[in-house]
């Protein structure tokens, strides 16, 4: 014990020497709690986390209670995240809160992690301010990627984000989650530059720059800058990436470039080499979903249609329909592609439409069918399928079905199709119906309410303006800094009851300031362009292209050249020529035939016809010329 105590008094004791001294002390007294605790700390300093857990299991509950923080940290490092989170939650130390936040982050409980970091930020020390800013930024980015952006208060890049490469990298990830790829690309360049100019060692710089480069590869391929992506691959050494999960993401991004293998069987081999990731280095759920989609897409390229159909059907069967999960709906689309053998047009629809009868509430399958109809310019059939699907959901009494019926994605599809067909009333009714449904829910999509409110502002009826005011009032209560909600609230009630929004009117930007840089005289001189409503026309690309290139044909006049409008037309002009009173046949035979024809008169019998009708006499009758002989039957 004395050797251990003297060793610990040294300025920087070596961890290996400390472990040897602890072992010597524990051989003399196995129940020495101080030596046990010191050995745990030494093992953690050497990153020997598995050995640390074995030591906790060896000495039992007494050591776990004595070193709870170390136990929670060791559990976190070996990947036992849920257990680490529960152990750290019962502790009050700041370090335990960090462990709980990190475990929640890895468990994708980003809301809990964000709350912990917010509490730590409110009571932060100067030494941990930078770490909290980095971890908080990463949590905010993950919240937006997980479609929980309503929990994020900071959605714009600040100057503080540009001071360190970690914060710039997290800000870039937040931009990717919001679809701001261009700004994210700039932030990644900033992060790489800051890392290269930092005081880190060359090896540390390489380890930090590698994931930044992997993200750059992603954003370049997403923006269609394939040449730049190919040149970036030359400086990316995938084999040196220490984390297997990051290395797998890098391989996936490489497959999307032109430098990737064109042989799908080779791509399958590359992806399968990362099938078993370690427990403490797993992908996030949205990453796993994308990897699965890529694997199934590669299988389709390899013509493994039956295998994809069976594997995707098993995944779909485990999740009830309908659902708004992007992961499950993408699997439904791949299942449809497998059944149609990647065929488009009418051939693909013929194979996919029967699946809708088996899975009538499958949102992913519905979206695939609508997309195929749109590709063939058959918007009418797309609307019919969508309306039948919506009707099935509306007839259901399930809360889940109603949530899917009014989901922003499904409403957006309906609005898009109705807009193409020029059915403006249907567009507004769908938006208003969805807004009225979500307005009374605890979690309402602000984008949907905003669009519905803007559409109602054009209403000429007071009831429509009143409903728009209620929608913008809901948005304004959720976020008092939302300028669109404030402006919409004023615009709605200004026409019906200005007293309700007089306080908000003063907060809006003055009109003089908004129009300060506008030259009214130049606008008047330029004229007002007239908009052409093209939505009411029949949507047909081929006809539209033909009408754009060929001039309109002039109709030929059907009036005769000598037409005189003052002259009374012949009342018998609609009768055939031979039936007109002015008709005069030519020749002797024609006159005889004309004489035989009547129009309503009594027909006169000719002598010849009278002779034919007379009864035959007993003897041979005389007559004119001899009749022609006919051959009798023998």
């Amino acid at each position: 014990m004395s050797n251990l105590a003297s060793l610990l008094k040294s300025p920087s004791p070596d961890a290996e020497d400390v472990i040897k001294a602890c072992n010597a002390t524990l051989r003399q007294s196995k129940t020495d709690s101080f030596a046990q605790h010191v050995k745990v700390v030494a093992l953690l300093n050497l990153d020997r986390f598995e050995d640390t857990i074995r030591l906790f299991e060896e000495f039992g509950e007494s050591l776990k209670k004595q070193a709870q923080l170390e136990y929670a940290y060791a559990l976190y490092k070996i990947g036992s995240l849920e257990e680490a989170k529960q152990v750290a939650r019962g502790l009050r130390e700041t370090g335990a809160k960090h462990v709980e936040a990190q475990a929640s982050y890895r468990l994708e409980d980003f809301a809990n992690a964000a709350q912990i970091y917010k509490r730590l930020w409110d009571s932060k020390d100067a030494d941990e301010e930078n770490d909290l800013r980095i971890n908080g930024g990463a949590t905010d980015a993950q919240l937006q990627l997980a479609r929980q952006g309503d929990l994020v208060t900071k959605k714009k890049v600040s100057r503080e984000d540009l001071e360190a490469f970690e914060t710039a990298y997290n800000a870039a990830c937040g931009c990717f989650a919001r679809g701001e790829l261009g700004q994210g690309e700039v932030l990644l360049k900033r992060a790489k530059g800051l890392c290269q100019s930092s005081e880190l060692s060359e090896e540390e710089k390489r380890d930090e720059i590698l994931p930044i480069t992997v993200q750059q590869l992603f954003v370049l391929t997403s923006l269609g800058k394939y040449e730049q992506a190919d040149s970036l691959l030359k400086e990316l050494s995938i084999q040196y990436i220490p984390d297997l999960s990051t290395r797998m993401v890098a391989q996936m991004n490489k497959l999307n470039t032109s430098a990737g293998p064109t042989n799908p069987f080779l791509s399958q081999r590359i992806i399968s080499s990362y099938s078993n990731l370690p427990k403490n280095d797993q992908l996030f759920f949205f990453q796993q979903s994308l990897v699965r989609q890529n694997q199934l897409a590669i299988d389709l390229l390899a013509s493994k249609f039956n295998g994809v159909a069976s594997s995707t059907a098993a995944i779909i069967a485990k999740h009830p329909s309908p659902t708004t999960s992007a992961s499950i709906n993408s699997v439904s689309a791949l299942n449809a592609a497998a059944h149609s053998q990647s065929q488009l047009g009418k051939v693909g629809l013929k194979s996919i439409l029967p699946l809708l009868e088996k899975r009538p509430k499958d949102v992913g399958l519905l979206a695939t069918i609508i997309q195929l109809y749109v590709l063939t310019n058959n918007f009418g059939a797309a609307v019919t399928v969508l309306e039948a699907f919506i009707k099935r959901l509306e007839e259901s009494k399930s809360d889940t079905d109603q949530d899917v019926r009014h989901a922003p994605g499904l409403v957006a599809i309906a609005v898009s199709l109705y807009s193409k067909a020029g059915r403006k009333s249907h567009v507004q009714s769908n938006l208003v119906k969805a807004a009225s449904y979500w307005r009374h829910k605890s979690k309402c999509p602000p984008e949907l309410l905003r669009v519905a409110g803007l559409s109602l502002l054009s209403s000429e009826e007071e009831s429509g303006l009143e409903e728009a005011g209620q929608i913008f009032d809901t948005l304004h209560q959720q976020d008092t800094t939302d300028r669109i909600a404030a402006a919409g609230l004023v615009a709605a009630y200004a026409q019906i009851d200005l007293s309700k929004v007089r306080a908000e009117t003063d907060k809006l930007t003055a009109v003089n300031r908004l129009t300060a840089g506008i030259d009214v005289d130049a606008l008047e001189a330029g004229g007002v362009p007239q908009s052409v409503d093209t939505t009411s026309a029949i949507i047909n690309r081929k006809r539209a292209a033909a009408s754009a290139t060929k001039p309109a044909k002039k109709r030929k006049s059907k009036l005769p050249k000598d037409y005189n409008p003052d002259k009374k037309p012949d009342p018998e002009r609609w009768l055939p020529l031979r039936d007109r009173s002015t008709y005069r046949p030519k020749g002797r035979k024609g006159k005889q035939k004309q004489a035989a024809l009547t129009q309503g008169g009594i027909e006169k019998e000719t002598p010849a016809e009278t002779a034919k009708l007379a009864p035959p006499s007993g003897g041979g009758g005389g007559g004119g010329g001899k009749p022609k002989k006919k051959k009798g039957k023998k």
Side-chain angles (χ1 to χ4, degrees), residues 589-608:
K589 292 183 178 180
K591 292 179 179 179
Q592 291 178 353
K593 188 175 181 180
Q594 178 68 15
L597 296 176
T598 61
Q599 292 189 8
I602 300 174
E603 184 179 359
K604 295 181 178 179
E605 295 179 354
T606 60

Side-chain angles (χ1 to χ4, degrees), residues 200-388:
L200 299 175
S201 64
E202 292 300 322
E203 184 178 356
E204 290 174 335
K205 287 181 181 179
R206 186 193 67 184
D207 293 341
E208 295 290 349
I209 287 176
L210 281 173
I212 298 175
T213 308
V214 172
Q215 287 288 54
Q216 282 184 307
L217 191 61
F218 159 75
V219 70
L220 288 174
T221 52
S222 299
L223 291 172
K225 300 179 180 180
Y226 297 107
E227 295 181 359
Q228 297 183 31
D230 293 342
S231 61
L232 188 65
L233 275 173
K234 297 178 182 178
E235 62 179 82
L236 179 62
S237 301
I238 296 179
Q239 66 274 14
Y240 292 118
I241 299 177
D243 298 333
L244 285 179
S245 59
T246 308
R247 196 185 306 173
M248 182 180 188
V249 173
Q251 285 286 5
M252 287 290 180
N253 291 340
K254 183 179 179 180
L255 293 176
N256 292 327
T257 63
S258 58
T262 56
N263 187 343
F265 297 99
L266 181 58
S267 300
Q268 282 181 325
R269 182 178 179 182
I270 293 173
I271 295 177
S272 62
S273 61
Y274 298 96
S275 56
N276 295 321
L277 294 176
K279 187 178 179 180
N280 59 349
D281 189 22
Q282 292 290 320
L283 296 171
F284 289 106
F285 175 77
F286 78 94
Q287 292 175 319
Q288 295 175 4
S289 176
L290 292 174
V291 168
R292 182 174 62 187
Q293 292 178 35
N294 289 340
Q295 290 174 330
L296 293 171
I298 291 172
D299 290 342
L300 290 175
L301 291 175
S303 300
K304 296 183 177 181
F305 303 116
N306 293 334
V308 174
S310 60
S311 60
T312 52
I315 296 172
I316 295 170
K318 295 179 182 178
H319 299 83
S321 294
T323 178
T324 56
S325 170
S327 174
I328 302 303
N329 289 329
S330 63
V331 170
S332 297
L334 290 166
N335 178 267
H339 279 88
S340 66
Q341 297 187 356
S342 301
Q343 296 291 324
L344 301 177
K346 295 181 179 179
V347 178
L349 284 168
K350 187 177 180 180
S351 304
I352 297 174
L353 283 173
L355 297 176
L356 194 59
E357 298 178 1
K358 299 178 181 178
R359 308 199 301 267
K361 295 183 180 181
D362 193 326
V363 178
L365 182 59
L366 171 77
T368 305
I369 293 173
I370 290 176
Q371 182 63 27
L372 290 178
Y373 274 130
V374 169
L375 290 175
T376 56
N377 294 323
N378 195 346
F379 290 92
V383 171
T384 302
V385 172
L386 177 64
E387 288 178 341

